[in-house]
Amino acid sequence: MNMVNIPSPALAIVGRHNSGKTTLIEQLIAELVARGNDVGSVKHHSHVGFDIDYPGKDSYRHRAAGASETVIAAPGQIARIKTVEGEVECSDIVRSMYGHDIVMVEGYRKSGLPTIEIMRSGNDADSRVAEVFAEGARRGWPLGTDFTQFTRGLPTADDEAARATLKNTEQDDAAEAEGSHFKTQHPDHIDISNKLPTDKTVAVVTDIEEAVRAAELYNVPSFALDDIAGLADFVEEHYVRPRVTVVIQAGGESRRMGRSKATVPFAGQPLICRLVERLGPVSDDLIITTNEPDNLAFLHAEFPHLRIQLVCDAFDFRGALPGLYTALQAARNPYVAVVACDMVFASGSLVVAEALAMNESGADVVVPVNKHGYEPFHAMYRRMACLPAVRAALDRGEKRAQAFFEDVNVFEFPQASVLEAEPMGGCFINANTPEELHSLEESFLEG
């Protein structure tokens, strides 16, 4: 996939010094790359300065494992190489690493990313953390609890739900906690508490039995240190960018345009070319549905790298729902983005955001919603669930695109999320008449 300026999903692997983070991450990178994924990586050093790109160094190991891009970061310096003031935020680094199916981050415990925690029995700090982790699980304290506050009474938590959980344990624990030390207290307890699993922990990799049991109590999956295939399965299922078919609905001749919307000129080229340029970079499979494939055959020569499929309508009658059925039937990937060809400012970033929202929510449809209602022609559809539901709606005589929404799980993508993905907005503006198209063209050329 050749993505341009599209944010990459990311996942962190954290541990303590000598936990084996680099070994785990290079094994995971190699496994994900072998499965056909494009992987970027980030290596964080808390100390000033670092060496790069010779055998044995972490960055070299990331790259040797198959990472197509590696950023090394430490206070005052990042490798790409650039001098900076202070420390670069992980989120800024990840946002700058376009075009990857996943970015694996080593370190950056406070990145805010979903985090894989590694604990190895041969590491003393890991073993102490595992003991505290297990004790917190036994007591029912939520992940993210500040264990350093234990000697002042009960631990504290920032999250409202976590505070409620702690309050429920107050009667049982208050007498024991008053004036006493946590039984695993150690001279470096503050450092350990700052390096415990948090509410961002999504998996634990460990060979410490009590850490495995604690993860089970917290309902967090755990993996053995050598179960790289299982961990890669987990990462692929939940965090790797989903494979997406993008379908641009070109239809045929528009009475109001006097010709096909796909071929009307816009900024010196056919309008369909603008849509392909904007959406092609985020597609694993690009389809254009049309009832005039011969008129669009020029796209194969114009965009040979995209291997565009021109697909004729599945029905001999027009309508939004029949068009959606054609899109879903032709798609080869489980996630299908459907966009109308007259949406001049259609957004690849929004397509990616919708795919990630579908992955996280488990919804069958992720559809933008605003004061005008649904925007079904810049939405994401889960093919397996939606195709039979659309067919059933057609059999009932329905023609509206959202006529089947009551039969599937719909996730409404709010305007705030749309603007987060595409700050410039305007994704849903379409051109229905020559006058509207001319106005949009002028706005585009002036901008």
Side-chain angles (χ1 to χ4, degrees), residues 64-79:
S68 61
E69 178 183 17
T70 297
V71 172
I72 319 300
Q77 191 180 33
I78 66 172

Side-chain angles (χ1 to χ4, degrees), residues 133-148:
F133 180 46
E135 182 71 10
R138 285 191 292 269
R139 291 173 178 262
W141 293 339
L143 288 172
T145 298
D146 182 359
F147 291 98
T148 65

Side-chain angles (χ1 to χ4, degrees), residues 129-371:
V129 163
E131 193 175 355
V132 176
F133 180 46
E135 182 71 10
R138 285 191 292 269
R139 291 173 178 262
W141 293 339
L143 288 172
T145 298
D146 182 359
F147 291 98
T148 65
Q149 300 299 312
F150 186 87
T151 55
R152 303 177 192 175
L154 282 172
T156 62
D158 294 329
D159 179 77
E160 185 174 341
R163 286 197 296 270
T165 301
L166 288 174
K167 187 174 182 180
N168 291 337
T169 67
E170 187 169 356
Q171 288 186 337
D172 295 336
D173 288 349
E176 180 182 343
E178 185 67 33
S180 67
H181 281 267
F182 196 34
K183 75 172 189 176
T184 55
Q185 205 76 293
H186 189 274
D188 61 355
H189 65 276
I190 293 179
D191 181 60
I192 289 176
S193 294
N194 287 333
K195 294 181 177 179
L196 282 166
T198 71
D199 57 356
K200 296 295 183 182
T201 300
V202 297
V204 173
V205 179
T206 186
D207 61 348
I208 302 174
E209 282 302 318
E210 61 182 347
V212 172
R213 289 194 293 271
E216 185 177 353
L217 289 172
Y218 281 120
N219 199 30
V220 172
S222 63
F223 300 88
L225 293 175
D226 60 356
D227 187 12
I228 302 303
L231 185 59
D233 287 342
F234 171 78
V235 172
E236 275 201 312
E237 180 180 355
H238 296 284
Y239 299 100
V240 169
R241 182 195 61 81
R243 296 290 183 262
V244 176
T245 291
V246 173
V247 180
I248 302 173
Q249 294 204 311
E253 182 175 342
S254 166
R255 287 189 294 271
R256 282 185 285 184
M257 286 289 187
R259 63 191 295 183
S260 166
K261 284 186 181 181
T263 59
V264 294
F266 183 88
Q269 62 180 343
L271 180 57
I272 190 66
C273 291
R274 174 169 172 79
L275 272 291
V276 170
E277 288 172 353
R278 292 181 69 82
L279 301 175
V282 301
S283 66
D284 297 286
D285 178 28
L286 182 60
I287 293 172
I288 297 174
T289 57
T290 176
N291 57 22
E292 48 177 17
D294 291 344
N295 289 343
L296 301 184
F298 70 91
L299 292 170
H300 295 306
E302 192 76 18
F303 303 98
H305 59 290
L306 293 176
R307 298 180 182 176
I308 296 170
Q309 296 180 70
L310 301 177
V311 175
C312 293
D313 294 337
F315 297 94
D316 58 5
F317 55 91
R318 301 180 68 173
L321 197 61
L324 187 55
Y325 182 84
T326 299
L328 294 170
Q329 185 183 53
R332 293 185 294 195
N333 288 301
Y335 290 9
V336 185
V338 181
V339 181
C341 78
D342 61 358
M343 285 185 167
V344 177
F345 302 107
S347 168
S349 295
L350 179 56
V351 168
V352 172
E354 290 170 348
L356 294 174
M358 179 170 282
N359 209 35
E360 183 176 351
S361 67
D364 301 319
V365 178
V366 174
V367 58
V369 61
N370 54 34
K371 63 182 181 180

Side-chain angles (χ1 to χ4, degrees), residues 17-204:
H17 183 62
N18 288 333
S19 290
K21 299 185 298 296
T22 301
T23 297
L24 177 65
I25 200 170
E26 67 179 330
Q27 291 173 330
L28 185 55
I29 289 170
E31 179 71 19
L32 291 169
V33 168
R35 298 179 181 203
N37 296 293
D38 184 299
V39 181
S41 69
V42 175
K43 168 63 183 178
H44 177 239
H45 292 287
S46 58
H47 56 78
V48 176
F50 51 79
D51 296 313
I52 62 170
D53 278 347
Y54 63 83
K57 288 298 175 183
D58 297 338
S59 59
Y60 183 92
R61 293 170 65 182
H62 284 218
R63 288 158 64 90
S68 61
E69 178 183 17
T70 297
V71 172
I72 319 300
Q77 191 180 33
I78 66 172
R80 267 193 277 192
I81 288 282
K82 177 180 178 180
T83 300
V84 297
E85 291 185 10
E87 185 166 0
V88 179
E89 292 291 331
C90 181
S91 57
D92 293 334
I93 295 171
V94 170
R95 274 196 296 268
S96 74
M97 297 176 68
Y98 301 115
H100 305 290
D101 295 318
I102 185 76
V103 172
M104 300 302 306
V105 177
E106 180 181 345
Y108 275 114
R109 177 172 292 278
K110 296 182 179 180
S111 66
L113 295 171
T115 297
I116 296 172
E117 183 84 36
I118 181 170
M119 301 181 203
R120 186 166 54 85
S121 61
N123 184 292
D124 289 343
D126 282 358
S127 296
R128 292 196 296 275
V129 163
E131 193 175 355
V132 176
F133 180 46
E135 182 71 10
R138 285 191 292 269
R139 291 173 178 262
W141 293 339
L143 288 172
T145 298
D146 182 359
F147 291 98
T148 65
Q149 300 299 312
F150 186 87
T151 55
R152 303 177 192 175
L154 282 172
T156 62
D158 294 329
D159 179 77
E160 185 174 341
R163 286 197 296 270
T165 301
L166 288 174
K167 187 174 182 180
N168 291 337
T169 67
E170 187 169 356
Q171 288 186 337
D172 295 336
D173 288 349
E176 180 182 343
E178 185 67 33
S180 67
H181 281 267
F182 196 34
K183 75 172 189 176
T184 55
Q185 205 76 293
H186 189 274
D188 61 355
H189 65 276
I190 293 179
D191 181 60
I192 289 176
S193 294
N194 287 333
K195 294 181 177 179
L196 282 166
T198 71
D199 57 356
K200 296 295 183 182
T201 300
V202 297
V204 173

